[in-house]
Amino acid sequence: MTMRPTDLDRVKALPLFRKISPESFRDVTAGAFLQRFPAGTTLLMEGDQVDFLYVLLDGIVELQGTWKEKDTTLAVLRPVSTFILAAVVLDADALMSARTLERSEILMLSGQALRRTMRQDAEFGLAVAEELSGCYRGLVRTVKNQKLRGGTERLANYLITQRIRQGLKETIVLPHEKRILASLLGMTPENLSRAFAGLASHGVVVHGPEVTLTRPELLERLARSTPLIDNHMPPQSRVLGKGEVESWSEETGFA
């Protein structure tokens, strides 16, 4: 599909490309192409050779991992975001699968061109390093969250994150089906149900995808959020590093 100037503008606005020279940006995007995929499309499988950097312009993409008969959701990405950057930089096989959760529009940039531009454009090479550093810090936060907290505490922090994202409303809407949410939190669906039940005494009322937080102060005391794990802390309490994203639960930067 022919790329529109507005698509290039959206890509250029990403932190990864914000400081790249006009000449280098033309080189990186010269062989790029834009595709639309229906919901449920597998974009790549773990173990595949990665030839492109993917830029999600519209829709939702789920990143997954599998082992034997098990699978897990590692991240859920929303526009505008890149994924599989580490594999592209290393010219390595993908460690994750990627599939669309809804109709999505994705720009695909040549991995070879991106690596060549990193060597030629120092500002772009630095931007890639910053992006990957932010991704690594996001991964550390996620690992700490899952290893140091119980399931109920992880769910409490997730609900606080969503409350902040959705304008501090009393009733929030879960952005994913509960199967995906359980996987993001490192839980089984059954354990997620038990965690929701355990939060009832903290003012959490669940009606399908809607969750009402009647006593958020109790939930916050249980969650014990910390800027050394959580990205939902108020701006005055922490400063994001370059390349970090605002939510470990949905945009972990695993890619």
Side-chain angles (χ1 to χ4, degrees), residues 153-168:
E153 293 170 319
R154 295 199 296 275
L155 178 58
N157 275 282
Y158 181 85
L159 294 176
I160 291 171
T161 297
Q162 292 305 317
R163 179 172 179 264
I164 293 171
R165 284 183 150 217
Q166 297 180 33
L168 299 178

Side-chain angles (χ1 to χ4, degrees), residues 1-10 34 36 57 105:
M1 184 186 303
T2 304
M3 291 184 59
R4 303 176 297 255
T6 52
D7 297 325
L8 290 176
D9 289 342
R10 294 174 73 189
L34 184 67
R36 291 194 179 102
L57 296 177
E105 194 170 87

Side-chain angles (χ1 to χ4, degrees), residues 38-95:
T41 300
T42 298
L43 302 171
L44 75 159
M45 296 290 294
E46 56 184 311
D48 284 353
Q49 181 178 352
V50 178
D51 297 318
F52 300 97
L53 175 68
Y54 295 81
V55 183
L56 177 63
L57 296 177
D58 192 29
I60 303 177
V61 168
E62 177 186 17
L63 302 181
Q64 297 176 304
T66 59
W67 171 247
K68 296 183 179 179
E69 303 301 317
K70 298 180 180 179
D71 61 77
T72 187
T73 300
L74 298 171
V76 178
L77 306 180
R78 298 178 183 274
V80 174
S81 56
T82 63
F83 56 102
I84 316 297
L85 176 59
V88 169
V89 171
L90 295 173
D91 194 14
D93 295 342
L95 297 181

Side-chain angles (χ1 to χ4, degrees), residues 178-220:
K178 290 177 182 176
R179 174 191 63 82
I180 291 178
L181 174 56
S183 194
L184 282 171
L185 295 177
M187 304 162 70
T188 65
E190 294 77 17
N191 285 338
L192 178 65
S193 294
R194 284 193 284 271
F196 268 118
L199 291 179
S201 60
H202 291 74
V204 176
V205 181
V206 183
H207 294 289
E210 294 188 346
V211 180
T212 301
L213 309 178
T214 62
R215 304 185 69 184
E217 69 285 351
L218 280 184
L219 197 63
E220 289 169 359

